[in-house]
Every structure is written in structure tokens, then in C-alpha cells.
Amino acid sequence: MLLVFWVGGGGFHSFMVLAMPFIAPVLADLAKKLPQVLFLKADVDELKSVAQDWAIEAMPTFIFLKGGSIVDKVMGARKDELQQKIELHLCATGQNI
């Protein structure tokens, strides 16, 4: 199983406010198309310890986990890179897209 842990902010002055309208529909579409991938979201404004524990430096950050370990990361609202990483990690587990 591939877990995509999405960390973003929700504060009024956060960059995430600008990135959210762009990336949110992409995530919703990916979640529908890829039920074998678990997408989770954490708001760093509400869960500051999560951002600190996971060394979040940009928002949004997408963390790829397998077996409880970080295997990859995408920082920023990079749609194409995010899709490529998901495909890469699904193929590595022998799953089709």
C-alpha cells in the first residue's frame, strides 16, 4: 500500500491558500482514480508538532510512506511531479495505475 501524507497549512496568510485551489481538485481526482493509495491530510496550523516531527519546510508537502518509512517527498503544489511519484511508487509495488 502507498500512503500519500499531504501536509499543508490553512491559515489566512499561508501560501497554501494560493496553492489549494490548484492542487485540491488534483488530489480529489487522484483519490478517486487510485483507491489503492491512501491520501491523508494534516493542517500544520492545527498540528504544529506534525510539521516539526516530519521536518516540513514547504506547503504543501506530500510524503510517500511504505511500511511506516518515508520513501519519497514532493514539496510544493507540483501536479506533474506528484503524479509521476505516485506512478513510480505504485509500479514499484507491482500495482497498476
Side-chain angles (χ1 to χ4, degrees):
M1 177 176 69
L2 177 64
L3 168 67
V4 179
F5 185 62
W6 172 30
V7 184
F12 180 73
H13 298 289
S14 170
F15 167 75
M16 188 60 190
V17 172
L18 300 174
M20 187 64 182
F22 170 75
I23 202 70
V26 172
L27 291 170
D29 187 50
L30 287 171
K32 285 180 189 175
K33 289 180 181 176
L34 303 169
Q36 69 273 41
V37 177
L38 179 60
F39 291 86
L40 300 175
K41 179 185 177 201
D43 184 333
V44 296
D45 292 334
E46 293 181 18
L47 301 169
K48 294 181 189 324
S49 64
V50 171
Q52 185 176 16
D53 292 346
W54 292 79
I56 303 303
E57 298 175 2
M59 291 186 281
T61 294
F62 302 92
I63 300 171
F64 294 78
L65 300 167
K66 286 186 191 171
S69 299
I70 296 175
V71 294
D72 216 334
K73 192 183 277 192
V74 174
M75 293 191 294
R78 296 184 169 102
K79 173 187 167 186
D80 294 336
E81 183 179 355
L82 178 62
Q83 290 176 321
Q84 290 171 355
K85 296 282 186 169
I86 290 172
E87 290 175 16
L88 172 76
H89 292 291
L90 281 178
C91 289
T93 62
Q95 298 182 45
N96 293 327
I97 297 172

